[in-house]
Amino acid sequence: MLLHGFGLDHRSLLPLEPTFERSGRWRRIYLDLPGATGSPATGIEGSQAVADAVIDAILARVGDGRFAVLGNSFGGMIARYVAHELRSQVLGLATVAGVFVAAHDKRTVPPRTVLKREPGVVPLLGAALEQYREEAVVESADDARAFLQYVVPGLDGADGQALDRIAESYSLDREPEDAHPEPFMQPTLHITGRQDDVVGYSDAWSRIGHYPRASFAALDAAGHNILFEQAGLCSALIADWLTRIRQDG
């Protein structure tokens, strides 16, 4: 089960397809969260409603079957909720640049840093340049092309009014680790970017005691676009997570 970030759609996670292909027979379900391209958001007034809708969507697809869940950014917060609410069915949990503190002003984040500018991205990106540079830490032509292919369509297709409503009530009713304080024992992975000035890295690490079976990684030369900027390391870490789940099975 794969859950994308806020204001995007499932296409932002499609770069992970080769990793899953190489890792064996994994059925992938890419959910478009309420407010994403073509995904209805009637009655959705905040993140808790999104999380509840995701639970319903998962159960409609897998019933009482077992599954693993991976979430990116906002999707990481929702994935944590799913993993704890449906713990008996969950094989493993992974977050990539996941939200661990919903309130932006309460997050611990590093200062905005750009490690590399690439003039060649300017003609490539055109009108999308500003969107790309809002979060890019290490610019490259390959990342710019991936951004155009996988990120921009979701940004353009999002339901802005629905996202505004959700943003007004961005926090869950309770943090999953607080609502279910017993340690989460399934194989877990939390990937963070050392230069991620959107969600940071230390808020995820503050939960390390809750996840005895977790690999935690803070990757250098990576911001919130970590899936592009450190694609190889992310792929290797996710492949290792999938292997650990299979070994537990």
Side-chain angles (χ1 to χ4, degrees), residues 49-119:
V50 172
D52 293 338
V54 168
I55 292 279
D56 291 343
I58 290 173
L59 293 178
R61 288 162 173 80
V62 305
D64 60 0
R66 304 194 73 194
F67 64 94
V69 59
L70 178 151
N72 174 227
S73 191
F74 175 73
M77 180 173 74
I78 304 301
R80 287 165 46 232
Y81 179 82
V82 168
H84 287 78
E85 291 296 311
L86 301 178
R87 189 187 294 222
S88 64
Q89 293 180 241
V90 173
L91 296 166
L93 163 68
T95 68
V96 181
V99 171
F100 276 78
V101 174
H104 287 69
D105 61 351
K106 294 183 179 180
R107 296 175 184 173
T108 302
V109 300
R112 176 73 179 135
T113 302
V114 178
L115 297 178
K116 180 185 176 184
R117 287 285 195 194
E118 173 53 63

Side-chain angles (χ1 to χ4, degrees), residues 132-153:
Y132 172 75
R133 282 188 162 169
E134 282 180 4
E135 296 175 356
V137 167
V138 180
E139 296 182 359
S140 75
D142 286 344
D143 286 0
R145 293 187 187 96
F147 185 82
L148 288 171
Q149 181 176 356
Y150 297 112
V151 175
V152 171

Side-chain angles (χ1 to χ4, degrees), residues 171-241:
S171 298
L172 298 171
D173 289 349
R174 290 187 69 191
E175 291 299 320
E177 295 86 358
D178 298 334
H180 303 275
E182 60 277 14
F184 187 86
M185 298 303 298
Q186 290 89 324
T188 303
L189 171 65
H190 297 302
I191 306 176
T192 61
R194 190 64 177 78
Q195 287 81 31
D196 186 344
D197 66 324
V198 178
V199 303
Y201 58 91
S202 61
D203 290 331
W205 286 70
S206 72
R207 294 291 190 176
I208 194 168
H210 184 77
Y211 295 99
R213 294 289 315 282
S215 293
F216 280 72
L219 305 184
D220 183 37
H224 205 54
N225 291 337
I226 192 169
L227 278 174
F228 300 145
E229 293 175 335
Q230 286 288 5
L233 282 173
C234 286
S235 177
L237 289 165
I238 292 168
D240 172 76
W241 171 63

Side-chain angles (χ1 to χ4, degrees), residues 15 24 82 97 130 155 217:
V82 168
E130 184 176 348
L155 293 173

